[in-house]
Amino acid sequence: MSYRVKNMISWLLLAIAGILILVWGYQKSTESKVIRIATASKGGYYYEYGMLLKRQIEKKTDYEVQLLVTRGSVDNRGKLLSNEADFAIVGTNSVSMQNLFIVAPLWQDYMHLVVRKGSKINSMTELAGHNVALGTQGSGYRAQSMKVLEHFALDADQFGMNDLYFTKLLSDTALEGAIVTTGLLNPDLRQVMSSGLFRLIPLEGAEGYALNHSQLTTAQIPAGVYSAVNGPVPAVPVQTIATYAVMASRTGLPEKMVQAVLDQLNTDEMRRDAPVMLDINPTQDNVLRYLPLHPVSTRYYNPFVGLDNFSRLLGQIAEHKILIIEMLIIGAVVIMQLGQIRRRRKEQVRVNMAAELESLFSKTIEIEGAQKEARDWRLLKQYLVEVMRLKQQAVSLVQGSELAESVLFLSTIQQCADVMRQIEWRLSAMQLTEVAKKEVEATRASLSE
């Protein structure tokens, strides 16, 4: 019963391993070769950067890239959480990174307070009561605008035409300004500033505002960063705040896919075509170090080189855990089956030895019966030699085995000894009888003489 139960368990484990292999194979076969990246609206730098990355990934890997046009960071986060996108460009101060991963820092987004030239607006508080674009619903622009308004105790209702995209400044003169948080290479913002119709005003109290938000830092918009018909603007650096734009991912992505994107983000070609990209280590940055970094990125940026291989090994184990479990189960089944085979072979050897011992025992019984009928001392000697041979054969058979202490072996040896004593006794008796005969014959012969 023990062998039967163990055999059933081993086959059950093998069946489970087979099912897991099928699951693993199905997962690998259905693993997507399409990378979906959520950007923002066309014309913005998020989308333009997405185009650069798409070209690089499709050139250097076997993945196809789909760019998703969205309303911006807030919309992008929703698409990641709903699995509509695999990666997305988001502003760290625009959305929560809970249940998401940072793959890599990209650049800094600067808050631009844009007003028309000739306007008497010179500060954030003076924007209230005017038509100012705060960004469309779901955009990172609007999320940043809402936060800065809250800091200055302002409300969106105090601004007319506030739900428009800032490029409306070029077509609608009723729109007096905009709050735009974006990178310095944003094509739409560059188009607005190149018209020469607008200027940038500083964000007063930028240091205090940044102090209240862990994902913000004070910054200056460099002088002359934007080309304009009347010469580069701004004429002097403009005080403002900045936040990080990062490549984020949803959870559950294959590490191979994340690695492919991360590798292409940091190529020389990408840094050449996107000169605003940051060259920082997020594990050491005062802001990014507190945000969830993807395990692949953690290994990539890990400054402790000696631990990198171990960390990579752990990542590979985690990625292939199903296959590893399958191999362990198969290994356990193989070991169990080999153990069963060895035990069966050992048992078969024992059974064969026991059968041979029984045969030897039976032969001694037969000889015991036969010798009782023998009257010829020469035949008795043959029986004696045969029993001695059977005894020696039994000893040689069980030597070094567990049968050496078995009742069957001991009974066989005892039986051989008993039969040998009986034969030896009869041989002795025959010898005495023969001697007596010879003496009688000798006596008779002497008397007759």
Side-chain angles (χ1 to χ4, degrees), residues 403-422:
L403 284 177
E405 298 180 0
S406 66
V407 174
L408 179 58
F409 171 69
L410 296 176
S411 298
T412 302
I413 296 299
Q414 184 63 44
Q415 178 65 20
C416 289
D418 290 345
V419 174
M420 288 169 63
R421 280 195 299 271
Q422 292 177 36

Side-chain angles (χ1 to χ4, degrees), residues 241-352:
I241 54 94
T243 185
Y244 286 114
V246 300
M247 181 64 71
S249 77
R250 63 180 176 88
T251 59
L253 288 177
E255 290 203 353
K256 181 181 176 182
M257 180 184 289
V258 179
Q259 188 69 55
V261 172
L262 183 60
D263 288 342
Q264 301 313 311
L265 283 173
N266 290 282
T267 60
D268 292 338
E269 294 91 336
M270 283 299 295
R271 293 190 176 277
R272 180 195 63 208
D273 296 337
V276 293
M277 284 189 67
L278 299 169
D279 187 15
I280 61 174
N281 187 334
T283 65
Q284 298 176 340
D285 183 79
N286 291 333
V287 174
L288 296 176
R289 63 190 296 185
Y290 300 109
L291 296 179
L293 193 63
H294 196 283
V296 172
S297 302
T298 301
R299 294 195 296 270
Y300 185 91
Y301 290 107
N302 189 356
F304 302 103
V305 180
L307 298 177
D308 185 64
N309 291 334
F310 179 69
S311 180
R312 186 178 296 275
L313 175 63
L314 292 179
Q316 292 174 349
I317 290 174
E319 183 176 2
H320 298 95
K321 57 182 177 293
I322 293 180
L323 182 60
I324 292 172
I325 292 172
E326 294 165 1
M327 299 307 296
L328 290 175
I329 291 176
I330 292 174
V333 171
V334 169
I335 291 173
M336 290 179 66
Q337 288 294 336
L338 290 175
Q340 291 277 45
I341 291 171
R342 284 195 298 269
R343 284 190 291 271
R344 283 195 291 268
R345 286 179 177 175
K346 187 176 179 180
E347 179 63 19
Q348 188 62 49
V349 169
R350 192 191 69 79
V351 169
N352 292 340

Side-chain angles (χ1 to χ4, degrees), residues 102-169:
I102 290 179
V103 175
L106 299 178
W107 57 79
Q108 281 190 308
D109 282 338
Y110 294 79
M111 181 171 286
H112 296 71
L113 303 184
V114 183
V115 297
R116 291 187 179 275
K117 279 188 176 180
S119 169
K120 295 182 179 180
I121 301 173
N122 292 303
S123 68
M124 178 70 193
T125 53
E126 292 177 1
L127 285 172
H130 296 273
N131 294 328
V132 178
L134 304 178
T136 57
Q137 297 291 336
S139 67
Y141 300 149
R142 192 169 187 88
Q144 292 287 355
S145 297
M146 293 300 101
K147 288 185 177 182
V148 74
L149 292 184
E150 180 182 1
H151 182 73
F152 283 87
L154 299 174
D155 190 271
D157 293 338
Q158 296 177 255
F159 300 84
M161 305 173 70
N162 66 74
D163 60 348
L164 299 178
Y165 187 57
F166 66 87
T167 52
K168 283 291 184 179
L169 287 166

